[in-house]
Amino acid sequence: MYKHVFLTGTPGIGKTTLIKKTLEALTSLGFSFDGFYTEEIRDGGRRVGFDIVTLSGKRGILARISSSFPSEKHEFRVGQYVVDINSFEQLALPALNHIASENHKTVCVIDEIGKMELFSQSFVYVVQKALDSAGALVFGTIPIAKGKPLHFIEEIRNRRDVKVFNITKENRDVILQDIVAAIQDCNK
Ligand SMILES: Nc1ncnc2c1ncn2[C@@H]1O[C@H](COP(=O)(O)OP(=O)(O)OP(=O)(O)O)[C@@H](O)[C@H]1O
């Protein structure tokens, strides 16, 4: 039986929107949550980066276009974006720290586990710990690989205790109840 639920799909297909709708539905069923989303940041119509936003309402930088950073800080790059690992870890790691909890009604939200987030070895460690722990229920998103698949993401996709929903234009408006039911079924 699976104990974690992930959404996957192409960029911008509606994964985060579905996560938010699922959490709304689960709140009325008595679930509580911890974790984070990543949000696109725009300036005058142009995408300039991504923020991390925790479910407790804290916000910090995940990445910005390289022109916003001093040149010595270009160590972790994805395309034109530079990842601010320290800022990401400061918010992501505490938000995931309930992972050893035995309370199955606390859902650990991780949106997303992608190339930028995986620069952080501490993040990889806590995600692995959450997936392997007896009590945690992880509800997350993973991207569909463009080019070479990322090993850690493929490992998650192939775990027997993970249920993956592939979100498409055709199913995104009708799949909410199936996702809610899957989370209710976790660990039963
Ligand atoms: N069911 C839907 N119908 C129409 N528009 C939608 C739907 N779901 C999401 N959108 C819109 O598509 C855009 C991207 O949605 P969202 O951020 O949820 O996608 P995502 O898959 O999480 O993206 P990313 O891969 O960049 O994280 C948003 O503007 C959102 O309002």
Side-chain angles (χ1 to χ4, degrees):
M1 193 55 197
Y2 58 88
K3 62 191 189 83
H4 309 294
V5 173
F6 279 82
L7 309 185
T8 193
T10 50
I13 197 68
K15 301 179 291 297
T16 301
T17 305
L18 270 167
I19 290 232
K20 288 181 175 167
K21 286 184 181 166
T22 305
L23 298 192
E24 248 175 66
L26 290 174
T27 301
S28 55
L29 295 170
F31 283 78
S32 57
F33 319 100
D34 209 343
F36 68 86
Y37 304 104
T38 46
E39 243 179 50
E40 179 178 278
I41 302 300
R42 289 191 166 264
D43 183 12
R46 175 181 181 219
R47 187 162 78 183
V48 294
F50 300 88
D51 273 0
I52 165 170
V53 183
T54 68
L55 292 178
S56 59
K58 293 182 184 140
R59 177 183 287 271
I61 291 175
L62 168 63
R64 289 289 183 272
I65 47 174
S66 46
S67 55
S68 357
F69 279 92
S71 55
E72 72 271 15
K73 280 191 80 181
H74 287 196
E75 196 181 347
F76 303 105
R77 244 179 194 284
V78 177
Q80 61 174 325
Y81 300 102
V82 177
V83 179
D84 188 334
I85 290 246
N86 290 334
S87 156
F88 170 68
E89 287 184 344
Q90 249 174 41
L91 292 189
L93 302 182
L96 304 181
N97 73 4
H98 73 275
I99 52 182
S101 160
E102 292 299 320
N103 178 3
H104 293 190
K105 286 224 157 185
T106 301
V107 177
C108 182
V109 177
I110 311 179
D111 177 21
E112 71 174 36
I113 303 173
K115 227 178 195 169
M116 293 185 178
E117 295 81 2
L118 291 181
F119 281 124
S120 165
Q121 284 307 305
S122 307
F123 175 68
V124 171
Y125 175 80
V126 288
V127 172
Q128 188 75 59
K129 203 166 142 199
L131 292 170
D132 291 340
S133 89
L137 192 174
V138 177
F139 179 34
T141 66
I142 44 180
I144 283 184
K146 234 183 358 176
K148 193 167 166 263
L150 293 164
H151 179 68
F152 187 62
I153 293 173
E154 289 312 294
E155 256 181 36
I156 293 173
R157 204 186 285 282
N158 294 324
R159 285 176 67 113
R160 293 181 61 188
D161 59 358
V162 164
K163 182 170 177 71
V164 179
F165 287 94
N166 190 14
I167 308 304
T168 64
K169 244 189 185 147
E170 287 69 39
N171 70 14
R172 66 184 181 184
D173 290 322
V174 293
I175 206 167
L176 176 63
Q177 275 320 312
D178 292 349
I179 299 170
V180 173
I183 290 175
Q184 288 182 285
D185 279 350
C186 279
N187 276 318
K188 261 192 189 159

